[in-house]
Amino acid sequence: MIKGIIIVNNSGKPRLVKFYQNVFGEEKQQSVIRRVFQQVSTRPDSFCNYLEGSVPEWGEKCKLIYRHYATLYFVFAVDAQESDLGILDLIQVFVEALDKRFENVCELDLIFHSDKVHHILDEIVMGGMVLETNINAILQAISDQERMHKDSMKTKGPNESVDLISTKLGAGRNW
Amino acid sequence: MSGMHLSREFFELIKAIGESKSKQEEDRIIAREVVTLKKKLETGGAGGGGGLSMIPGSPVPSMGGNAGNQNGLNTNKKKAREFLVRVLYVEMLGHDGSFGYIKAVELAASQSITHKRTGYLLCSCCLSPDHEFRFMLVNQMQRDLISSNLLESCGALLAVTSLITPDLVGTVSTQVMGLLEHSAETVRKKAIIALHRLYQLNPDIVTKEEVVEKVRRMLCDRDPAVMGATLNVIEALARCDVAPFKDLVPSLVSILKQICERRLPSEYDYHRIPAPWMQMKIIRILSVVGKNDSQASEGMYEILREALRKAEEAGINASNAIVYECIRCITMIYPNAVLLDSAGASISRFLSSRSQNLRYLGIIGLASIVEKHPKYAADHQLAVIECLEDKDETLLRKTLDLLYRMTNPVNVEFITDRLLHFLRGSTDPYLKSDLTSKICTISERFAPNNAWYVSTITELFKIAGDLVDPDVATNLMSLIAEGTGNEDDDEEADMVLRKQSVELYVSLLASPPNRMSRVLVETLAWVLGEYGYLSSAMSLDAIIDSMCKLLHSGNNARLGGGATSTRRLVLSAIMKMVAQFGSCPQCAAKIIDDYTLSEDPDAQRRCLEFQAIITTAPQLLSEVFPVDASLEDVEVDVNMNFLDGIVSVAAANGARPYSKPDDDDDDDDYLSSQTATGSAFKMTPYEKPTERAYGQGAMAGLGSSSMGPSATTAGVALPPGQAPGVNSPTSALQQPQQTTSPGQPQLTIRNSGANVWGKKPTAQAAPPAPPVAASPSVNSFSSPSPAPPRPTYGGFGAQVQSTSSAPPPAKTAEQLEKERMAAALFGGIGASAPPPPVPPSQPVSTPQPRATVPQQQPLSVQSQAPQPTTSFAPAAPQPPAAPAPEIDLLGFDSSGVSEPAAISSSVDMLAPTPLIDEPTMNGSLSVPPVPAAEPEPPKVEAPAPPDDPFAAAGLLDGFGDSSLPTLSTTEALDSAKFEYSGSPIAPFTITTPQFGERWGSCPSTHSVTIASSTNVNSLSKFVSLCVRAGLHKVEEIAATNEGIAACMAGGGSSIALVHGKVSPLSGDASRLDITVKSSDANLGSQLAMYMQNMCR
């Protein structure tokens, strides 16, 4: 399974942290993030995208699979069950989904819309299992959700009416 | 669109954090933010208040309540969401955001799906496992799970996976199971994963049977996405218990087949590869199911071949992932020769790739295949060496793992050296303990000789003594004590070993005591205590002195980790040496004196007893501490007859006679209970192996007096043989023999280890080189008659004047080094295949390792034959200098011939990658071109002279007159030397006629053909290779491109003669035919193997 996903920028600031195998306690979580960043950041891009057995909180057989995009490292911590190259492609799918959703995703998007980023990730990985890899399906789920959502899209003019309608529909369906 | 609806505040915050220079500054900023957020919570709490009240109380918020707040809530909710995002951010940076959790719980009840999910999100990211809010959310989740809005169901399912704790599983399991039947695929696929999670959390409530049943049904879901998600769950379940999924093989195979045939809608394609993740998952499940199951495996061979073929065709990242999974699967399931070959081909493509990731996977693949099928390792020598030198530690680690798996008796020294080297520089505790146990394993299994084993293990003690299993030290000591343990009892060799060990440990005395690991100190104490007198580097009293210093400094420092038992051992060693020395030096007397006041009662007792002996009866010392008697059986007088006198006196005085227990078996029981109760009294040190060895050893007498509690009766010195407490020493003595005594098993295990690699040296001696005929240059050699063709050699001698052949293309030191490493590393692997009889003048190349199992490789055999004849038949007499194009071809050809690979791979690094796909595939399957050059081993016999008149003279001659091509360092030269039985061979200085004479009489013949070597592509290189290996160049015959060389081993007890013919091919490669004749079949085969490795 996937034990956790960490996005961290070039200076070590976390941008997204998700633990599937629970690491409880702020301190431990921070130490995981630090450790991951330390190890990943010292590796030139010419090295391979794998790192093994180096995060005690995740146990001995943990492997870090990461990709470095411009200012961000996308790090997936996995166990032996996951495919080495498959996860690399999965990271790519994740990034592509982000890019499509945010139209040229940048680091700030991940912070300002960290909830949305999480939602996208939730469509890809669930409870440490790969849920969906089809980028269209992922984006569809997100846009469905957003179409139903009422407030947040208001600033985008054309969508406003749709939002309102779907909100009402959604509310009607609810109770 | 970033931040359009988010406040400037938040933006400023992130900016400030991003620009902060220190953790302290960041903390201050966050603290400010926390204050701001708390304020917001209070002021904006109007909306929240309504939510708050509804959560613990009423299960369903009244519409009225919400509607009442409607106007204010809209803006509030938007703010509330940003509020949560900011709390999440604060939490992510490691600060406490718990003040905001309540808002998240509130938001989870929101009607807006985005708000709801944001609420759930914050809770699942931040709530501790026992947080009470989790209970508050259960109600909400239950409602959402059964919501008619599928997005709410999805949100709740996601929340279930992260918010439910084991004791809450029962509250949602029914709903989750119900959702498996939901009409929307997006719900079903989430439900199956959520169900698995619930099963993991609490298998009592969601039982395995239930999950398995559901999962099997979901596999057949009408929607591929659900099936894809289910595959993940199946793999996770099958890894724990494969049984329920065994019968799924046909279904999985058929699914995979359909995917491969593109029956899935194209939207499942990724970069035009049909559903790669599903393919990967299915293959992974197959590998789990097919493991150790030939029947299940057979069902998947075909589809694996198909999937692999299709994936290989595509050649992009996503398809490589499938290829890799195929490789792993093929190596895990019941082996199939054809598939293994395809996997081997894919591995070599990965290894020769420029992508670091693929090389990494190639190394893993190779490691997974090499243990059971070592022949594939030989194909990738240079690639492995390069990975070993890579700066990327991930790759390096995997390569070390690979090395460990491919260790054999020939390359064990090289590999162990590498592992030790890496261990020295490593700081990762996992890696260190892993490496340590690996080194122990391989050095025990494959040690070439005992001296090597001793020094290797000692080195390991030095580097990572704390991590070594104590048994290793026990084995080491019993090896030194027992020697080889062979029947013929070569006492002399044993003494040599002991002496070497002693010198080794004497040299360690100088190292700082607090840096020495406990096991090192203890072993050192034992070795020097037992055999210190053997040292010629240091006198015995000097050793005693050093040991005293060691103990003294150890008193204050933490000697060997500060264990009292370690000090006791050093103390006993000093006593033993004093006994050997004959008198007690001042320092020893002082130490012993000091220790009579020791807090450690054991040490104190020993010292008091020792003092008593040395002052009252010094003549007893040698009996109490017999020299080199650690192996002598201590006879235990169970009946204790020596007490008879005392008993009879006591009986005469009216003592009650001892009544024997009625059960005779009690004897044994008595013994064991004696040890058992003894151990209850004994303190820890006696459980230590070193202690045992020590107890069994020279200290037996004294040891007995302090060891068994019963021994106290004896006061000072019981006769060594009759000490009652001796039970434990004897049993300890037997133990190492039963277990792995490294001396003896080493030999047997070595053989078995050799078997793993196919027929080893002994077997290799068997296939006699074919009688060779029809070689123009070798006519005179062709008759295998025992008659020494002296004139022929004389004839060669006449031709020798012009030794100048084409000057060999200069090689860089680096290349040489790499080749040398490859030879060291892959020694024994190539050799596993005795070159089968090669019909002369036929271009069928015999790639050494692969040829062993020709029937397994129809592909390679087929493809190799035609190719060489056509392209390389016109063998150029002179090797052209820089043949660029061939290099690529040969470089990728990984089968058997390593030498071209050596050059090509070094070229590779600079040049753009040559076509990876096609040539690689071809190359790995085919075999390098071989011209119509014939092996021409002269089959002539000559008696091996046991007393060689030239033996002495040969030592120096070998080096002088040979032309050494660019040799990098003297190290390289030294280490290139061929070693037999642990010692380098000596040049055997003879003339060509003498060579001819002996040729016929050598009983063992080993022929080696290197189909294409760029490493040794000229006669002069061949000859200098021989010289480098330590042979004497007898003659270099430029006219026929032949060279002969000779060496002897074991101080002249055996000789080996080498004849080589170099046939230049086009390009700067050459075919090499080497024949090694030897009076000792082992020497011959090893030398042939060595030559082969050095030439490839």
Side-chain angles (χ1 to χ4, degrees):
Chain A
M1 68 177 279
I2 297 169
K3 293 162 183 272
I5 294 169
I6 292 173
I7 304 178
V8 61
N9 76 359
N10 284 351
S11 50
K13 301 259 186 279
R15 291 306 181 219
L16 177 133
V17 178
K18 187 110 185 168
F19 290 95
Y20 294 105
Q21 178 179 325
N22 287 322
V23 174
F24 292 116
E26 287 296 336
E27 210 130 292
K28 275 192 179 165
Q29 296 195 350
Q30 290 302 310
S31 117
V32 169
I33 297 168
R34 264 198 310 277
R35 205 180 287 269
V36 164
F37 172 71
Q38 274 165 10
Q39 301 192 45
V40 167
S41 59
T42 51
R43 293 170 61 83
D45 287 349
S46 62
F47 281 10
C48 68
N49 301 51
Y50 306 104
L51 255 172
E52 279 180 51
S54 23
V55 184
E57 285 84 354
W58 272 319
E60 199 173 336
K61 292 230 166 132
C62 164
K63 184 186 276 189
L64 301 182
I65 304 181
Y66 69 94
R67 268 177 179 246
H68 190 195
Y69 295 90
T71 62
L72 293 172
Y73 290 96
F74 285 67
V75 187
F76 280 44
V78 302
D79 66 6
Q81 193 192 317
E82 298 301 327
S83 161
D84 301 84
L85 281 175
I87 293 291
L88 278 186
D89 280 330
L90 194 69
I91 298 177
Q92 182 66 29
V93 166
F94 180 34
V95 173
E96 277 174 28
L98 289 177
D99 200 48
K100 289 221 167 110
R101 173 61 190 77
F102 292 112
E103 295 154 24
N104 279 327
V105 65
C106 72
E107 199 178 326
L108 274 185
D109 290 323
L110 300 190
I111 307 169
F112 283 124
H113 306 286
S114 58
D115 53 343
K116 287 183 191 164
V117 176
H118 272 283
H119 295 159
I120 293 173
L121 185 58
D122 282 345
E123 290 298 324
I124 300 174
V125 179
M126 178 179 175
M129 295 278 176
V130 180
L131 176 69
E132 181 59 77
T133 51
N134 181 346
I135 192 159
N136 296 328
I138 295 163
L139 292 171
Q140 185 63 45
I142 298 297
S143 65
D144 281 353
Q145 184 181 319
E146 283 177 359
R147 212 175 304 131
M148 275 194 59
H149 175 57
K150 45 187 172 180
D151 302 318
S152 52
M153 298 288 283
K154 269 192 176 167
T155 42
K156 270 209 143 188
N159 281 352
E160 189 173 342
S161 53
V162 181
D163 280 344
L164 281 175
I165 294 163
S166 60
T167 305
K168 280 168 196 155
L169 283 175
R173 249 181 264 156
N174 262 344
W175 287 292
Chain B
M1 54 172 292
S2 68
M4 291 291 276
H5 59 282
L6 287 168
S7 69
R8 179 132 196 99
E9 264 176 16
F10 192 23
F11 180 78
E12 294 296 340
L13 169 76
I14 288 153
K15 199 158 159 262
I17 297 260
E19 287 165 357
S20 67
K21 297 278 181 299
S22 66
K23 176 80 180 142
Q24 285 74 14
E25 195 182 340
E26 185 189 297
D27 284 350
R28 275 197 301 277
I29 297 169
I30 293 286
R32 265 205 310 276
E33 165 76 358
V34 168
V35 172
T36 318
L37 288 175
K38 277 183 178 161
K39 218 174 272 166
K40 271 183 193 298
L41 184 67
E42 282 158 19
T43 55
L52 251 180
S53 66
M54 85 195 179
I55 287 161
S58 57
V60 183
S62 67
M63 282 301 280
N66 270 356
N69 281 339
Q70 196 71 43
N71 290 333
L73 261 180
N74 271 343
T75 45
N76 260 344
K77 279 235 172 116
K78 191 174 130 188
K79 280 195 180 146
R81 190 174 143 255
E82 185 194 306
F83 173 79
L84 290 191
V85 170
R86 287 166 75 166
V87 171
L88 191 62
Y89 183 68
V90 167
E91 285 260 341
M92 191 167 68
L93 291 177
H95 297 262
D96 180 31
S98 56
F99 58 87
Y101 295 169
I102 189 65
K103 198 77 189 166
V105 177
E106 180 192 324
L107 222 57
S110 163
Q111 288 184 33
S112 152
I113 181 66
T114 306
H115 287 163
K116 178 188 286 296
R117 290 197 49 183
T118 306
Y120 276 138
L121 171 69
L122 186 74
C123 291
S124 56
C125 285
C126 305
L127 291 187
S128 63
D130 50 356
H131 202 287
E132 56 194 10
F133 286 1
R134 286 184 187 244
F135 299 93
M136 293 165 68
L137 284 163
V138 168
N139 199 350
Q140 186 62 45
M141 281 189 272
Q142 286 174 330
R143 251 179 292 141
D144 287 340
L145 282 172
I146 54 169
S147 161
S148 59
N149 183 333
L150 66 92
L151 289 177
E152 286 184 346
S153 302
C154 288
L157 282 170
L158 282 162
V160 160
T161 58
S162 47
L163 282 171
I164 290 295
T165 49
D167 48 332
L168 293 179
V169 167
T171 60
V172 291
S173 58
T174 330
Q175 288 92 328
V176 170
M177 270 197 237
L179 287 180
L180 290 173
E181 316 293 337
H182 199 279
S183 58
E185 52 86 20
T186 180
V187 177
R188 290 200 303 275
K189 72 184 181 190
K190 291 187 176 86
I192 191 70
I193 289 183
L195 186 68
H196 177 242
R197 180 64 157 210
L198 294 181
Y199 159 69
Q200 284 181 316
L201 288 170
N202 194 338
D204 294 332
I205 295 188
V206 178
T207 63
K208 188 168 161 189
E209 289 69 32
E210 265 176 315
V211 180
V212 168
E213 189 257 315
K214 301 278 183 207
V215 157
R216 291 175 62 109
R217 207 145 47 79
M218 299 299 275
L219 184 64
C220 309
D221 195 276
R222 58 187 180 278
D223 193 292
V226 180
M227 188 261 294
T230 308
L231 288 172
N232 286 292
V233 179
I234 293 184
E235 191 195 346
L237 291 171
R239 276 180 189 274
C240 301
D241 177 18
V242 74
F245 304 101
K246 283 272 183 196
D247 60 329
L248 278 187
V249 173
S251 321
L252 291 169
V253 165
S254 112
I255 295 171
L256 184 54
K257 195 163 181 337
Q258 292 177 47
I259 296 175
C260 283
E261 288 168 357
R262 296 185 175 276
R263 304 262 195 85
L264 282 188
S266 63
E267 60 177 278
Y268 288 94
D269 287 6
Y270 178 76
H271 294 257
R272 300 227 194 106
I273 308 292
W277 283 277
M278 289 186 202
Q279 291 198 46
M280 280 181 246
K281 275 294 159 199
I282 293 176
I283 294 168
R284 290 180 81 91
I285 298 170
L286 289 180
S287 69
V288 175
V289 175
K291 196 175 181 182
N292 300 328
D293 185 339
S294 64
Q295 202 187 343
S297 299
E298 260 163 42
M300 49 186 90
Y301 288 154
E302 193 186 328
I303 189 63
L304 281 176
R305 194 167 57 236
E306 187 64 15
L308 180 58
R309 189 183 60 80
K310 289 226 160 123
E312 278 285 5
E313 276 171 7
I316 61 166
N317 199 25
S319 66
N320 281 333
I322 300 173
V323 171
Y324 174 64
E325 294 308 331
C326 285
I327 293 173
R328 300 248 316 193
C329 183
I330 289 167
T331 55
M332 274 176 81
I333 61 173
Y334 192 83
N336 172 286
V338 178
L339 281 179
L340 279 171
D341 274 351
S342 319
S346 301
I347 289 173
S348 52
R349 185 171 67 83
F350 280 6
L351 282 175
S352 54
S353 163
R354 303 248 298 156
S355 151
Q356 198 78 343
N357 288 337
L358 290 187
R359 288 173 70 199
Y360 167 80
L361 297 178
I363 290 286
I364 299 181
L366 193 56
S368 65
I369 206 171
V370 82
E371 239 173 345
K372 288 178 195 146
H373 313 281
K375 60 175 180 152
Y376 293 100
D379 297 358
H380 308 295
Q381 306 188 2
L382 263 293
V384 172
I385 295 287
E386 261 166 28
C387 290
L388 208 50
E389 293 181 338
D390 204 283
K391 290 189 183 67
D392 187 345
E393 192 179 306
T394 306
L395 194 57
L396 189 56
R397 282 189 190 201
K398 276 292 160 207
T399 315
L400 290 174
D401 183 54
L402 169 67
L403 290 191
Y404 166 69
R405 288 166 195 255
M406 58 186 269
T407 312
N408 65 24
V410 177
N411 59 20
V412 63
E413 293 177 59
F414 175 83
I415 288 180
T416 312
D417 187 54
R418 278 276 140 182
L419 295 181
L420 281 171
H421 173 75
F422 199 69
L423 179 62
R424 232 173 257 130
S426 154
T427 50
D428 182 343
Y430 289 130
L431 182 66
K432 283 184 88 163
S433 68
D434 185 45
L435 281 174
T436 305
S437 69
K438 279 178 174 163
I439 292 170
C440 288
T441 312
I442 59 172
S443 54
E444 204 158 301
R445 269 184 76 184
F446 300 114
N449 56 60
N450 292 333
W452 178 86
Y453 179 79
V454 171
S455 67
T456 302
I457 294 295
T458 307
E459 186 64 23
L460 186 62
F461 287 169
K462 266 160 71 181
I463 301 171
D466 306 334
L467 302 169
V468 181
D469 185 347
D471 284 349
V472 175
T474 318
N475 289 347
L476 183 72
M477 286 182 281
S478 60
L479 171 70
I480 295 172
E482 293 168 29
T484 53
N486 275 350
E487 288 299 309
D488 44 0
D489 221 9
D490 191 352
E491 187 58 27
E492 206 171 297
D494 291 352
M495 279 321 273
V496 171
L497 176 67
R498 283 172 204 151
K499 198 160 177 316
Q500 284 170 337
S501 313
V502 167
E503 303 295 10
L504 179 65
Y505 278 95
V506 161
S507 70
L508 290 179
L509 275 175
S511 39
N514 44 358
R515 291 261 196 81
M516 293 163 86
S517 63
R518 177 175 172 175
V519 70
L520 182 64
V521 175
E522 296 188 353
T523 314
L524 177 138
W526 185 85
V527 170
L528 294 185
E530 283 292 308
Y531 299 109
Y533 60 92
L534 291 174
S535 171
S536 53
M538 210 178 199
S539 66
L540 193 54
D541 54 332
I543 297 178
I544 296 175
D545 194 45
S546 302
M547 292 285 272
C548 291
K549 281 195 187 120
L550 183 70
L551 193 56
H552 190 68
S553 61
N555 248 340
N556 309 319
R558 293 166 55 252
L559 177 64
T564 48
S565 67
T566 311
R567 284 205 290 278
R568 284 177 215 155
L569 277 164
V570 178
L571 203 54
S572 330
I574 293 172
M575 293 177 189
K576 281 190 267 185
M577 284 189 290
V578 168
Q580 291 159 9
F581 187 56
S583 74
C584 191
Q586 190 61 37
C587 58
K590 179 164 187 324
I591 283 276
I592 288 166
D593 209 36
D594 288 350
Y595 270 85
T596 54
L597 303 172
S598 169
E599 291 169 1
D600 175 16
D602 181 278
Q604 189 190 27
R605 156 135 237 123
R606 281 168 208 254
C607 291
L608 285 171
E609 285 167 356
F610 185 81
Q611 275 188 338
I613 297 174
I614 204 160
T615 48
T616 58
Q619 72 279 5
L620 277 182
L621 266 184
S622 59
E623 261 184 78
V624 177
F625 300 105
V627 173
D628 191 14
S630 60
L631 288 178
E632 245 128 79
D633 281 338
V634 181
E635 278 175 32
V636 181
D637 185 353
V638 189
N639 295 325
M640 294 189 273
N641 293 328
F642 60 93
L643 290 175
D644 284 354
I646 303 172
V647 170
S648 58
V649 170
N653 289 344
R656 198 162 58 88
Y658 173 67
S659 60
K660 235 184 169 182
D662 20 71
D663 189 357
D664 264 23
D665 292 346
D666 262 14
D667 249 9
D668 292 340
D669 291 348
Y670 169 74
L671 273 180
S672 54
S673 72
Q674 175 83 348
T675 23
T677 53
S679 68
F681 283 95
K682 279 179 212 155
M683 285 151 293
T684 37
Y686 299 108
E687 288 155 21
K688 299 228 67 67
T690 27
E691 197 76 13
R692 276 191 237 135
Y694 144 77
Q696 79 191 249
M699 287 291 282
L702 188 75
S704 68
S705 63
S706 55
M707 250 172 169
S710 57
T712 42
T713 52
V716 178
L718 283 175
Q722 300 179 342
V726 169
N727 300 333
S728 43
T730 10
S731 61
L733 185 112
Q734 281 152 359
Q735 200 174 7
Q737 288 168 346
Q738 289 159 354
T739 58
T740 34
S741 142
Q744 195 173 10
Q746 167 187 320
L747 291 172
T748 50
I749 296 171
R750 255 186 86 170
N751 288 342
S752 64
N755 285 340
V756 173
W757 295 91
K759 295 171 194 102
K760 279 310 291 180
T762 41
Q764 208 197 18
V772 182
S775 147
S777 59
V778 204
N779 280 342
S780 39
F781 285 144
S782 57
S783 75
S785 75
R790 186 195 293 233
T792 322
Y793 278 106
F796 279 139
Q799 295 166 347
V800 179
Q801 311 95 313
S802 58
T803 38
S804 60
S805 63
K811 298 191 149 202
T812 64
E814 201 181 324
Q815 280 173 332
L816 276 177
E817 181 63 15
K818 273 188 188 169
E819 284 151 18
R820 186 188 65 73
M821 283 168 68
L825 175 54
F826 289 87
I829 291 174
S832 59
V838 183
S841 59
Q842 265 196 14
V844 179
S845 73
T846 53
Q848 309 73 10
R850 304 199 138 215
T852 27
V853 205
Q855 72 277 15
Q856 288 195 344
Q857 318 185 332
L859 278 177
S860 66
V861 173
Q862 280 163 6
S863 59
Q864 73 201 44
Q867 194 185 355
T869 25
T870 50
S871 57
F872 285 93
Q878 290 251 340
E886 256 106 329
I887 277 173
D888 285 345
L889 177 66
L890 294 171
F892 281 100
D893 154 64
S894 42
S895 55
V897 181
S898 67
E899 188 35 48
I903 288 182
S904 76
S905 51
S906 50
V907 168
D908 273 353
M909 301 178 59
L910 305 168
T913 332
L915 310 153
I916 288 184
D917 300 331
E918 278 309 300
T920 319
M921 293 282 296
N922 288 345
S924 52
L925 286 176
S926 73
V927 170
V930 181
E934 52 293 290
E936 46 92 54
K939 304 274 162 274
V940 208
E941 313 275 308
D947 271 336
D948 193 84
F950 300 95
L955 285 167
L956 290 171
D957 288 8
F959 276 121
D961 55 351
S962 58
S963 61
L964 296 181
T966 53
L967 257 185
S968 51
T969 56
T970 42
E971 271 167 26
L973 182 128
D974 283 341
S975 43
K977 273 205 153 192
F978 171 71
E979 286 191 353
Y980 180 60
S981 314
S983 52
I985 51 168
F988 183 24
T989 320
I990 48 174
T991 61
T992 305
Q994 286 165 330
F995 183 96
E997 263 169 30
R998 292 186 168 86
W999 183 265
S1001 64
C1002 283
S1004 89
T1005 306
H1006 299 271
S1007 298
V1008 174
T1009 301
I1010 290 93
S1012 169
S1013 168
T1014 47
N1015 181 16
V1016 179
N1017 55 4
S1018 69
L1019 179 58
S1020 62
K1021 279 196 184 175
F1022 171 74
V1023 172
S1024 58
L1025 168 73
C1026 292
V1027 173
R1028 238 162 39 224
L1031 288 100
H1032 168 65
K1033 179 188 88 168
V1034 179
E1035 193 154 356
E1036 197 175 341
I1037 306 146
T1040 55
N1041 254 341
E1042 284 171 285
I1044 48 180
C1047 71
M1048 58 189 174
S1053 62
S1054 48
I1055 62 161
L1057 308 175
V1058 177
H1059 172 272
K1061 174 154 177 73
V1062 183
S1063 322
L1065 310 174
S1066 67
D1068 73 346
S1070 284
R1071 175 195 167 96
L1072 278 173
D1073 296 292
I1074 302 170
T1075 307
V1076 179
K1077 288 215 128 208
S1078 176
S1079 56
D1080 175 346
N1082 258 336
L1083 170 64
S1085 73
Q1086 286 188 23
L1087 183 57
M1089 206 149 74
Y1090 170 86
M1091 299 293 293
Q1092 184 178 27
N1093 280 316
M1094 294 304 280
C1095 294
R1096 286 189 311 165

